[in-house]
Amino acid sequence: MPLLALDTSSAASAAVLADDGATLATRSSGEPRRHAELLTPLIERVLAESGVDRTELTAIVAGTGPAPFTGLRVGLVTARTLGLALDVPVYGVSSLDALAGAALDLPEAAQAGEVLVVTDARRKEVYWARYRAVVGAGAQRSVELVDGPGVDAPAVLAERGLDGVLVVGPGTALYPELLPAGAQVGDLDPAELGRVALARLAEAVAASPDLPLPEAAVQLPTEPLYLRRPDAVPPPAAKRASA
């Protein structure tokens, strides 16, 4: 029962996972642009490398951001289109949640009370969210959101105090003087989106055993997480000249 996970919150990336959370194949373009051009070939490559035909997929997991509008839209539209074509459910997971999930593999995570994930938001700001670990085994591991998500200058986060907090994510490399990394978690592996989704689906089923899975998993919507107002806005309506 494999599933496909894809993300365009940074570089275009895709992965195929088994239903126990094991990665069967994962790829990233390494480029923060050209998502529309690069994502579909990446999906074809990971399906071929995993030996999974697209008709065998049982679900699609899409990264919901935060990210700029255009790139994020490519991933979400692709995921929804595939889900419709294959008649399988599509689930959304924040890229910040997935990076926090990846941090659970770090030895430092067991010692830290919380994990702060920071990624590049451009404009000398970072996207951020703060988590508490809810550790299980394999696909059952998960994280709990404590604060955020938000977008702020790094100095604003530093002023709140980071004692006892493991700071991870690509944003730490951009502002090391303000956001020292307790340990590095690099670019998002889309397989981690799938593992977070599997853990949350398992939690939803356990909480509502009498409901079928799509209804039980209503907490995994695919609405994009932008965190900023769009730069482009419709022009104001022209005022009518008085007679």
Side-chain angles (χ1 to χ4, degrees), residues 60-72:
I60 312 292
V61 180
T64 59
F69 175 80
T70 303
L72 191 57

Side-chain angles (χ1 to χ4, degrees), residues 153-200:
V156 172
L157 294 181
E159 288 172 0
R160 295 180 182 177
L162 301 176
D163 292 342
V165 178
L166 177 63
V167 186
V168 300
T172 61
L174 298 174
Y175 306 99
E177 72 284 2
L178 297 173
L179 300 171
Q184 274 295 334
V185 171
D187 293 335
L188 174 64
D189 181 350
E192 196 61 46
L193 291 168
R195 282 188 275 273
V196 172
L198 286 170
R200 291 180 176 171

Side-chain angles (χ1 to χ4, degrees), residues 49-71:
E49 290 174 7
S50 65
V52 172
D53 187 86
R54 65 174 59 200
T55 59
E56 298 177 277
L57 295 171
T58 57
I60 312 292
V61 180
T64 59
F69 175 80
T70 303

Side-chain angles (χ1 to χ4, degrees), residues 70-184:
T70 303
L72 191 57
R73 180 178 60 179
V74 169
L76 291 171
V77 169
T78 300
R80 292 168 182 168
T81 302
L82 281 172
L84 183 63
L86 299 173
D87 193 25
V88 296
V90 181
Y91 304 117
V93 173
S94 164
S95 57
L96 299 177
D97 293 1
L99 287 167
L104 298 183
D105 287 334
L106 300 169
E108 296 88 343
Q111 303 170 7
E114 295 179 352
V115 173
L116 175 68
V117 179
V118 288
T119 63
D120 184 16
R122 305 174 187 175
R123 305 181 189 177
K124 297 183 179 180
E125 293 181 325
V126 292
Y127 297 122
W128 64 271
R130 198 158 170 161
Y131 300 86
R132 181 184 300 114
V134 181
V135 182
Q140 303 305 314
R141 67 180 190 170
S142 188
V143 290
E144 178 183 9
L145 184 66
V146 174
D147 192 14
V151 56
D152 281 300
V156 172
L157 294 181
E159 288 172 0
R160 295 180 182 177
L162 301 176
D163 292 342
V165 178
L166 177 63
V167 186
V168 300
T172 61
L174 298 174
Y175 306 99
E177 72 284 2
L178 297 173
L179 300 171
Q184 274 295 334

